[in-house]
Amino acid sequence: MESKDGTTTHVDTSAPAYDLGLSRDDDAAVLAKLGYKQELRRNFSKLEVFAIAFSIMGLLPSIASTLNYSIPAGPAGMVWGWFLATGLIFVVALAMADLGSALPTSGGLYWWTHFFSSPATRNPLSFLVGYSNSIGLIGGFCGVNYGFSLMFLSVIVIARDGNWVPTSGTIYGTFMAAVLCHGILASTLSKIMAKLQTVFVIMNLILIAATIIALPIGARKHRNDVHYIFTHTENLTTWPAGWAFMLSWLCPIWVVGAFDSCVHMSEEAANVTRAVPFGILMSVGLCWVIGFILVIVIAGCMNPDLGSILKSPLGQPMAQIYYDALGKKGTLFMMSILFIVQFLMGLSTLVAASRQAWAFSRDGALPFSRFFRPISRKFGYIPLRAIWGCVFVAAVLGLLSLIAPAAAQALFSLAVAGTYVAWGIPIFARVMWGQHKFKPGPFYTGDRLSVPIAWTAVVFLIFGTTLSMFPIGGPNPTPQTMNYTVVINGAVWGGALLYYYIDARKWFVGPKITLELDDLSDTQRKAIVDEGLQVEGLERA
């Protein structure tokens, strides 16, 4: 089959029949335009699509997990690094919202890459993006659970007054327990998963409000002044001071990095062409504003001896900040809520990662795609096997925590580098090769702004990817302080391209058409004809 732009699209005859009870006809018609039948149940509202992105970001727990990136630059680095980096991330969100409204599908990033790229590049770039996005999302799942492990164990350390230190094995054991629990919950809670996202958002907001109120009250005798918060810089690295400030951007870059989950939930969202851009922009915008307030409060209440915070025997900078302001009991209470919210983040992250993995296997690109591709009707029309495939890969990647703390930190940067490449390539492909094929959806930044926004996003994503590769402490790293992101992501990217050129180029032809004519409504048939998809047996009237 061919689309009107000349792209050859192959039919997947192994797909199960379309169930009319899964979606409204207009949403299914939007998906049909892209060549896919409706197989997942659309039970996420516009608010719930936003909620899954916001709950994955898990604003305060994520900031707590990545303070070691921003504290070395001092309070001004924390505050202005957040404001500037998140502002640029919002530009990326605008560029992605344009695409998400126009072409909403679970495998959006690699689908867009294939659609917009030149004929010579579409297959290898689509293949690369699919793998980079998949491993980036799983890396994010790992990072969330590693952060959860440190938070959970820090509560035990605090309770024992610092007289116990968790080993690498203990950290990995806690990590594995969390990963397995998420696999079980993601498999069994499908009927209420959409509603749970709203609950997760409420819990996030309660935790944020409690911190914004409690920290200044607890630290009232030793709060830092405005001049210190907004102008005082430090450099606790061996990099030049300017680069230490740039490295502080890694905190917001990692925290505000899950909004592509709205794209991956496209085939489970109602009113999808509006829900996806709303979820993307609302989640990033809210994190930009509330996160800015949070880092100001943290900078105003933390001990000016920043080295003591980073080297805290409690194992978590945020735990030490709570302890200094609230004492032992207050810290135990706040950290307990913090690790619970962090745990909930992991569940939402796994849901999004599994949808991308499922979409990529639907198009035959992942190893064992035939195994991971089926949808489980028994468990509520979810990609059950893809969920457990992500759990298995996460368990393997988590072994990095047994090497050294720096190797474990690569789990955070792995998510940044993997997702930034996956975000950047389709945006670049659209403005470089495919602008003439772009048809705006209900959300559109406009003819004058859309292309400049896209180019700005591409430049920032290149910078963010490069930034994520640098060792935090300084140049000339040791094996213990090395940033292993470049090794891991280099292996993923190089391995994906090597796999493609050695073998996959013989059979990977991009997204497959999974439509079956007998299952299409009149609205869907008309949408396909209007889009120009050439499907045997379906002709223009």
Side-chain angles (χ1 to χ4, degrees):
M1 300 177 185
E2 291 188 353
S3 64
K4 61 186 175 185
D5 71 324
T7 303
T8 301
T9 314
H10 290 247
V11 181
D12 178 9
T13 58
S14 66
Y18 166 63
D19 186 331
L20 290 174
L22 297 178
S23 169
R24 297 188 322 187
D25 204 42
D26 54 346
D27 283 324
V30 170
L31 188 59
K33 287 183 180 181
L34 307 183
Y36 294 128
K37 70 171 65 177
Q38 185 70 47
E39 297 182 61
L40 303 175
R41 192 181 299 281
R42 291 188 184 271
N43 53 7
F44 279 74
S45 67
K46 184 165 69 170
L47 184 62
E48 288 160 350
V49 171
F50 147 75
I52 194 168
F54 189 77
S55 62
I56 290 174
M57 292 175 190
L59 191 55
L60 182 53
S62 294
I63 290 174
S65 297
T66 52
L67 281 176
N68 58 314
Y69 293 130
S70 56
I71 285 179
M78 288 177 57
V79 172
W80 295 118
W82 180 275
F83 184 81
L84 294 173
T86 311
L88 288 167
I89 292 169
F90 190 79
V91 174
V92 178
L94 286 168
M96 189 181 295
D98 273 347
L99 292 170
S101 181
L103 301 163
T105 175
S106 292
L109 300 176
Y110 74 85
W111 198 101
W112 301 337
T113 300
H114 193 272
F115 181 73
F116 289 117
S117 294
S118 66
T121 62
R122 60 167 57 112
N123 284 348
L125 285 182
S126 177
F127 199 75
L128 173 63
V129 167
Y131 272 93
S132 188
N133 193 203
S134 297
I135 201 68
L137 287 166
I138 296 173
F141 178 55
C142 289
V144 168
N145 279 302
Y146 183 73
F148 162 80
S149 303
L150 296 182
M151 290 179 191
F152 177 81
L153 294 171
S154 73
V155 171
I156 300 176
V157 173
I158 295 167
R160 297 187 179 184
D161 298 316
N163 295 320
W164 177 75
V165 178
T167 64
S168 297
T170 303
I171 294 172
Y172 181 72
T174 307
F175 168 90
M176 269 302 303
V179 167
L180 291 173
C181 285
H182 286 138
I184 294 170
L185 294 174
S187 301
T188 56
L189 298 180
S190 63
K191 293 183 179 180
I192 60 171
M193 188 60 68
K195 303 300 180 186
L196 285 176
Q197 303 311 313
T198 304
V199 175
F200 296 171
V201 169
I202 293 171
M203 291 189 66
N204 267 283
L205 294 176
I206 290 173
L207 176 60
I208 290 167
T211 297
I212 290 174
I213 294 170
L215 270 185
I217 293 174
R220 60 188 176 277
K221 294 182 180 179
H222 54 269
R223 285 198 297 258
N224 301 311
D225 59 26
V226 172
H227 183 269
Y228 176 85
I229 294 170
F230 291 103
T231 65
H232 181 75
T233 61
E234 292 199 25
N235 184 5
L236 301 184
T237 75
T238 56
W239 292 108
W243 194 244
F245 173 75
M246 300 312 301
L247 287 171
S248 72
W249 288 28
L250 285 174
C251 173
I253 281 174
W254 192 86
V255 173
V256 192
F259 49 90
D260 63 318
S261 58
C262 299
V263 176
H264 303 309
M265 301 309 294
S266 292
E267 295 177 38
E268 295 172 77
N271 195 14
V272 61
T273 55
R274 289 176 171 81
V276 170
F278 174 83
I280 291 171
L281 297 176
M282 187 68 175
S283 59
V284 176
L286 203 59
C287 279
W288 188 6
V289 174
I290 298 178
F292 188 57
I293 296 170
L294 263 176
V295 293
I296 290 172
V297 170
I298 292 171
C301 299
M302 67 185 181
N303 184 346
D305 182 5
L306 302 183
S308 67
I309 297 176
L310 291 173
K311 298 177 181 177
S312 170
L314 303 181
Q316 270 278 309
M318 194 68 207
Q320 188 63 53
I321 293 170
Y322 277 138
Y323 194 90
D324 292 338
L326 304 177
K328 180 178 177 179
K329 290 184 179 179
T331 303
L332 287 173
F333 177 75
M334 294 301 294
M335 288 301 295
S336 296
I337 300 177
L338 202 65
F339 77 67
I340 291 172
V341 174
Q342 181 90 351
F343 180 84
L344 300 178
M345 286 171 56
L347 178 57
S348 299
T349 307
L350 177 58
V351 170
S354 66
R355 272 48 174 185
Q356 158 60 22
W358 169 75
F360 208 34
S361 66
R362 174 175 59 183
D363 291 318
L366 286 180
F368 312 109
S369 285
R370 287 182 178 270
F371 175 79
F372 290 117
R373 190 250 182 278
I375 293 295
S376 172
R377 299 189 179 194
K378 179 179 179 181
F379 283 85
Y381 291 89
I382 60 171
L384 183 68
R385 295 180 182 180
I387 289 172
W388 286 98
C390 291
V391 167
F392 175 77
V393 175
V396 174
L397 287 175
L399 292 170
L400 284 169
S401 64
L402 297 175
I403 299 175
Q409 290 300 321
L411 297 173
F412 293 92
S413 297
L414 172 65
V416 172
T419 55
Y420 270 35
V421 166
W423 295 353
I425 291 178
I427 296 172
F428 172 80
R430 174 205 152 187
V431 292
M432 185 67 184
W433 296 301
Q435 184 62 24
H436 65 286
K437 294 196 288 185
F438 177 70
K439 293 182 178 180
F443 173 86
Y444 182 42
T445 51
D447 291 337
R448 290 186 177 182
L449 294 178
S450 184
V451 172
I453 284 172
W455 279 116
T456 304
V458 168
V459 172
F460 172 71
L461 290 169
I462 292 171
F463 173 74
T465 303
T466 305
L467 188 68
S468 71
M469 304 288 182
F470 277 78
I472 302 171
N476 304 314
T478 66
Q480 288 71 37
T481 59
M482 170 67 178
N483 185 341
Y484 290 90
T485 304
V486 65
V487 179
I488 299 170
N489 277 92
V492 171
W493 297 328
L497 290 175
L498 191 65
Y499 179 31
Y500 174 80
Y501 283 108
I502 290 176
D503 182 56
R505 64 182 176 84
K506 303 172 186 175
W507 48 263
F508 180 73
V509 291
K512 297 178 179 180
I513 288 180
T514 62
L515 296 168
E516 293 180 3
L517 299 185
D518 292 341
D519 298 320
L520 298 178
S521 68
D522 292 339
T523 302
Q524 293 161 35
R525 288 170 180 263
K526 183 178 185 302
I528 294 168
V529 170
D530 290 345
E531 186 64 18
L533 282 177
Q534 297 178 14
V535 181
E536 184 178 354
L538 189 63
E539 300 177 354
R540 186 181 297 273

